[in-house]
Amino acid sequence: MRQPYGRSIASTVVYAHPTWYAAHGYIVVIQDVRGRGTSEGEFQLFAHEREDGVDTVNWAAALPDSTGTVGMYGFSYQGMTQLYAAIDLPPALKTLCPAMVGYDLYADWAYEGGAFCLQANLGWAIQLAAETARLQGKEPSFLALAAAARNLPLSGPIAAQPQILQDLAPDSFYHDWLAHPQPDDYWEQLSPCRDFQPVDLPMLHIGGWFDTYLRGTLHLYREMVERSSQFQFLLVGPWAHLPWGRRVGAVDFGPEAANPIDRLQIRWFDQFLKEQDRGVLAELPISLFEMGSNCWRSFDRWPQPPDRHFFLSSSGLAALQEQDGQLLNTLPKADAIDVFVHDPWRPVPALGGHAAIPSGMVDRAALDCRSDVLTYTTPPLTTDLSLLGEITVELWCSADAPSFDLCAVLSDVHPHGQVFNLTQGYIRVAPGQPTSPLIISLQATCARLPIGHAVRLSLSAACFPAYPVNPGTGTLPTEARAMEARIITVTVHSGPDCPSSVRFYPAEPC
């Protein structure tokens, strides 16, 4: 495992201590990447992980008592270092276990639907900057950054450009990520996906339904399944980025949701490094935790694209009364419009989901009562409904501003009124972009809603601070001054002429 946080941590926030792996007959190497911990050199985000990763694999293969075969494990940055190390095909590297990675750094990590992932990116940039200050012995800078990490500086003239990072971390990757709001050459050169095509290794892909990088995990998995000759296994639990346990947000998913990864990785490494038959190859290649039934389900392939619809229908008061916005199995007979107003002074706050901190499943019933949130709800279900894979929202809409944002949240409405988010998506509409229809891709999910529950779609024009508030002017986050943000009126159309809908794939009940 190669990581930037100090090797003594060894990602024990989600994995067993390396001594546990060593007790199972493995030489375990935890290494500080260049310029971090006690490693010398200068740390540049992802810049040297390819060359340094190959050197480390070769070094590990030659250690005393090594068989010469090497596997890698780790999540987040430690998952990324696996991908970079594999690109140049070191012969000793036999398997990878990447968890929660951004395969395409632009679309899978830094931006979602064209919107900058503010809270996650800023929090991480401040953490890395604080560690840099500590390594350099700059105590005042470290203390200032540590304080900022606990209370993100979002109230400056330009929310996405806090002064503290400009003053204390002028070389941070964060400034480059903000300066490249489109998928240009910068991202192509930085992302592992550009050069990963020759890699053909058995890989254990690990994700979480509320992890902000699930897009990357699934992107990598699907690509490898399409072209690899080696076994690919995908496991997605009900977890946020960390920790991986049975309680996520406000929900206890039961004992089956407890972290199984350490035992699974030992079986995986025994299979592909020691060449012992541990039954891995006999299993179905996909294991997904189904929220609601709170059990693991196995599949032979990733589900098909969404093929069923819930159509939006309204009296025109979906922003004010829960019963006035509906999701129907059939196209409504009458056209309708719902209008809501986004006020940058009081943007709809981020609450749970995959992009906010803390992440996970929470009761958002109070949030859905806001008049700047449209809600569309099915009648109580008469049969269980299982949702699986990607979900998209197709909207016919318009706004009185050159640019605006839309956040779509799909929730499970309980009979007694609780509303627990299942998945969500976000999009930033650029000036001149067609809005009829808009397609919002929601985070993939796997959930079962029982009889008597209902499905709800909630729409808003902000999710702050997970994403910056859109000023409505079309300016970039680096130029979006708080005092210039404008009130935006958004109109959502539904009905036969504008069939706004939720598209989903219904899985068979287990």
Side-chain angles (χ1 to χ4, degrees):
M1 180 193 297
R2 306 186 62 251
Q3 63 152 21
Y5 304 113
R7 63 182 184 273
S8 294
I9 296 174
S11 291
T12 49
V13 289
V14 293
Y15 297 107
H17 193 271
T19 54
W20 185 84
Y21 284 87
H24 286 78
Y26 289 94
I27 300 169
V28 186
V29 175
I30 312 295
Q31 182 190 59
D32 294 319
V33 301
R34 186 185 302 204
R36 311 304 283 182
T38 58
S39 288
E40 297 178 354
E42 181 182 355
F43 174 70
Q44 293 179 281
L45 193 79
F46 301 131
H48 302 292
E49 306 308 350
R50 181 169 172 174
E51 58 193 281
D52 291 351
V54 170
D55 288 345
T56 304
V57 167
N58 292 336
W59 171 82
L63 286 172
D65 297 324
S66 172
T67 62
T69 58
V70 177
M72 298 183 74
Y73 75 109
F75 86 116
S76 197
Y77 198 104
Q78 298 80 255
M80 299 295 289
T81 54
Q82 299 177 55
L83 306 187
Y84 289 109
I87 287 173
D88 289 323
L89 310 178
L93 186 59
K94 301 301 183 183
T95 188
L96 304 179
C97 297
M100 301 182 174
V101 294
Y103 190 44
D104 178 330
L105 280 170
Y106 174 81
D108 299 337
W109 189 307
Y111 288 79
E112 180 179 354
F116 187 64
C117 299
L118 176 61
Q119 190 174 24
N121 292 335
L122 179 56
W124 190 43
I126 290 175
Q127 178 188 358
L128 291 178
E131 177 63 8
T132 297
R134 189 189 69 81
L135 293 172
Q136 294 173 347
K138 298 178 179 178
E139 186 174 23
S141 296
F142 170 79
L143 293 175
L145 289 161
R150 289 161 176 77
N151 185 19
L152 289 185
L154 297 167
S155 58
I158 301 176
Q161 281 197 320
Q163 193 65 41
I164 190 171
L165 273 186
Q166 297 180 60
D167 293 342
L168 301 183
D171 297 328
S172 171
F173 73 93
Y174 182 85
H175 308 298
D176 293 330
W177 284 21
L178 264 182
H180 294 272
Q182 300 296 328
D184 56 18
D185 288 344
Y186 168 83
W187 296 106
E188 184 179 357
Q189 294 175 16
L190 190 64
S191 297
C193 63
R194 184 189 69 166
D195 299 316
F196 203 73
Q197 283 64 40
V199 178
D200 190 10
L201 296 171
M203 296 171 63
L204 170 59
H205 306 260
I206 301 163
W209 296 129
F210 299 105
D211 174 45
T212 189
Y213 310 127
L214 179 61
R215 299 187 302 280
T217 296
L218 297 179
H219 183 180
L220 173 62
Y221 170 75
R222 288 193 293 250
E223 180 182 300
M224 292 302 295
V225 166
E226 288 178 1
R227 65 170 179 80
S228 176
S229 65
Q230 300 294 323
F231 186 60
Q232 307 293 313
F233 190 90
L234 172 68
L235 182 144
V236 185
W239 313 310
H241 197 56
L242 61 90
W244 304 344
R246 58 184 285 175
R247 291 175 175 83
V248 186
V251 174
D252 183 349
F253 288 104
E256 288 295 309
N259 182 356
I261 298 303
D262 295 304
R263 288 186 173 89
L264 176 57
Q265 287 190 155
I266 285 296
R267 288 181 59 217
W268 187 268
F269 289 137
D270 286 351
Q271 182 84 44
F272 295 105
L273 298 183
K274 294 182 179 180
E275 298 183 349
Q276 299 175 355
D277 185 0
R278 297 298 304 275
V280 170
L281 299 177
E283 296 184 4
L284 291 176
I286 296 177
S287 180
L288 307 178
F289 189 89
E290 184 179 68
M291 299 179 289
S293 64
N294 294 345
C295 64
W296 292 95
R297 299 187 61 182
S298 296
F299 301 89
D300 60 356
R301 61 179 179 174
W302 186 251
Q304 299 297 312
D307 65 352
R308 280 186 55 187
H309 295 260
F310 284 133
F311 293 97
L312 277 62
S313 176
S314 179
S315 71
L317 294 178
L320 298 176
Q321 300 290 335
E322 290 185 0
Q323 66 272 19
D324 280 87
Q326 294 183 303
L327 293 178
L328 304 177
N329 288 317
T330 57
L331 193 64
K333 296 180 180 179
D335 291 322
I337 62 169
D338 285 300
V339 180
F340 69 98
V341 177
H342 160 70
D343 182 355
W345 186 260
R346 53 186 299 273
V348 175
L351 183 66
H354 68 271
I357 302 172
S359 307
M361 189 180 284
V362 295
D363 184 356
R364 56 171 286 124
L367 207 58
D368 281 351
C369 289
R370 290 175 58 123
S371 60
D372 52 358
V373 178
L374 301 180
T375 58
Y376 303 87
T377 311
T378 67
L381 298 172
T382 56
T383 59
D384 289 358
L385 174 66
S386 290
L387 304 174
L388 178 62
E390 273 77 20
I391 296 174
T392 59
V393 175
E394 187 172 291
L395 294 177
W396 271 254
C397 61
S398 59
D400 65 348
S403 177
F404 63 100
D405 289 4
L406 281 173
C407 178
V409 181
L410 201 70
S411 301
D412 175 5
V413 182
H414 290 221
H416 296 296
Q418 303 102 318
V419 182
F420 288 98
N421 55 295
L422 296 170
T423 179
Q424 68 184 66
Y426 201 88
I427 189 171
R428 174 150 292 194
V429 182
Q433 180 178 341
T435 58
S436 297
L438 278 177
I439 306 297
I440 306 174
S441 297
L442 276 57
Q443 184 108 314
T445 193
C446 183
R448 188 176 73 183
L449 284 67
I451 294 172
H453 287 222
V455 181
R456 173 174 294 174
L457 173 68
S458 304
L459 299 174
S460 65
C463 183
F464 181 77
Y467 313 90
V469 172
N470 191 330
T473 59
T475 55
L476 301 176
T478 53
E479 304 166 353
R481 305 189 70 84
M483 67 177 295
E484 297 173 352
R486 57 185 286 184
I487 295 170
I488 302 173
T489 301
V490 180
T491 302
V492 175
H493 302 261
S494 58
D497 293 333
C498 301
S500 295
S501 67
V502 178
R503 298 183 63 186
F504 63 98
Y505 181 82
E508 293 295 326
C510 59

